[in-house]
Amino acid sequence: MRPAVFLDRDDTLIECNGLPAPPPPARPGDLVDPAQVRLLPGVAPALSRLAHAGFALVVVSNQGVVARGGADVRRVEAVNDALRERLRDEGGPAIDAVYFCPFHPQGAVPEFTREHPWRKPSGGMLLAAAEDLGLDLAASWLIGDAQRDV
C-alpha cells in the first residue's frame, strides 16, 4: 500500500478567495469558471516533490455549490480538469485522483440537499480513495486551508 497526500482544492491548490464573486446562488469563494483556475504560487514544484517522494496525490474537496444550485457536477469536473491542465502547464505531476462532495445539508437542489459521509470533515472521501487506490491512510497526510478540512 502507498501513502498519499490528500489535498484540499480551493485556496490550497488554486486561488478562490479574492476572485470576483460568481452569480448567486454561488457564493464568494465558489470557483465555478474553469477559465479562472490559477495555481497558487509554489504548488506545482511542491506537488512534484511529494510525487517524487512516493506519495499519491489525491484532491478532496467539498463542493456545496452544487447543492446550492450555483453549479452542476459537470462544471465542478471542468474546474478539476482545468486544475490538472494548469499543473501540467507548469510542469507539475499528474493528480492520482480527485474526489469531491456535491452535498450540503442547506442546499436547494433536492438530490444534493443532505449531509453525506463524503462531506469534510467526515472521512468518506479519504476512505473511498484508500479503497480505490490501495492507500495506506496511517502513512498519509491531509493539507487544507481550513479547520473543516481535517
Side-chain angles (χ1 to χ4, degrees):
M1 292 194 338
R2 180 174 169 197
V5 175
F6 295 95
L7 302 145
D8 178 52
R9 189 189 79 177
D10 300 340
D11 288 322
T12 300
L13 299 176
I14 58 178
E15 178 184 7
C16 291
N17 288 315
L19 293 176
R27 298 178 181 166
D30 288 335
L31 181 56
V32 298
D33 182 356
Q36 291 184 316
V37 173
R38 303 283 181 271
L39 293 181
L40 289 168
V43 164
L47 294 184
S48 292
R49 287 191 297 274
L50 289 169
H52 182 72
F55 289 96
L57 302 175
V58 181
V59 175
V60 290
S61 182
N62 283 343
Q63 292 298 315
V65 66
V66 174
R68 291 192 306 275
D72 60 18
V73 168
R74 288 185 323 202
R75 180 62 67 129
V76 173
E77 290 171 343
V79 170
N80 292 335
D81 290 343
L83 165 62
R84 289 180 176 106
E85 184 178 311
R86 301 304 179 280
L87 269 171
R88 189 171 43 252
D89 291 349
E90 292 192 24
I95 297 292
D96 291 279
V98 176
Y99 293 82
F100 67 91
C101 181
F103 299 94
H104 193 285
Q106 297 163 347
V109 178
E111 69 183 290
F112 296 110
T113 300
R114 62 184 164 96
E115 194 55 74
H116 192 274
W118 277 31
R119 186 162 174 74
K120 293 185 289 182
S122 294
M125 288 187 280
L126 281 64
L127 294 170
E131 183 174 326
D132 293 346
L133 304 172
L135 302 175
D136 180 357
L137 291 178
S140 296
W141 298 87
L142 191 145
I143 299 172
D145 68 308
Q147 186 67 30
R148 74 170 177 262
D149 290 328
V150 295

